[in-house]
Amino acid sequence: MISSPPLKLVLWALTAVSLILHHGCGARCDTKAPTVQQVQVGFGEPPKFAVEVKNNCPMCPVIDVHVKCGNFSQAVVDPRQFKVLSYDDCIVNGGLPLPPLQKLSFNYSHSKFLLTLKDWHFQCE
């Protein structure tokens, strides 16, 4: 029978760590999907837009972030930040990890493209 408070605390901590490792961190991020926000910041001709892709998970990097991007023109942004793969499929940061709670931002000048999150994966384990 365990009666020592420090020993109980150690056993409790080991159990908690075991549960976290067993279930993985990704499950904790399921409701923390990355977001894509776009705001018009210039009203000239053509207008200018600021785009921010943010990893909302506080624990895990997000990788392979794909965005529905219609017929986005690769000529308006650095492909290392946002690359057109095909019609309606662009990849953020070359598919490389975006650390927890970090964001990647870029601007473009063109007619507005509708940008929405398409697919991503958490890299927790």
Side-chain angles (χ1 to χ4, degrees), residues 39-85:
V39 177
Q40 188 169 352
V41 294
F43 296 90
E45 197 52 50
K48 186 175 184 178
F49 296 91
V51 178
E52 177 182 283
V53 179
K54 182 177 181 187
N55 178 2
N56 294 306
C57 178
M59 299 174 64
C60 302
V62 67
I63 60 170
D64 281 334
V65 178
H66 288 257
V67 173
K68 291 181 182 180
C69 55
N71 61 346
F72 192 90
S73 174
Q74 186 64 73
V76 300
V77 69
D78 182 347
R80 290 175 293 182
Q81 292 181 312
F82 194 73
K83 184 175 182 176
V84 176
L85 299 177

Side-chain angles (χ1 to χ4, degrees), residues 57-115:
C57 178
M59 299 174 64
C60 302
V62 67
I63 60 170
D64 281 334
V65 178
H66 288 257
V67 173
K68 291 181 182 180
C69 55
N71 61 346
F72 192 90
S73 174
Q74 186 64 73
V76 300
V77 69
D78 182 347
R80 290 175 293 182
Q81 292 181 312
F82 194 73
K83 184 175 182 176
V84 176
L85 299 177
S86 63
Y87 175 80
D88 218 20
D89 187 16
C90 294
I91 194 162
V92 176
N93 197 30
L96 296 173
L98 191 57
L101 299 178
Q102 296 297 306
K103 57 188 166 187
L104 181 135
S105 301
F106 62 89
N107 295 330
Y108 71 89
S109 292
H110 196 277
S111 301
K112 184 176 183 178
F113 293 99
L114 181 60
L115 304 176

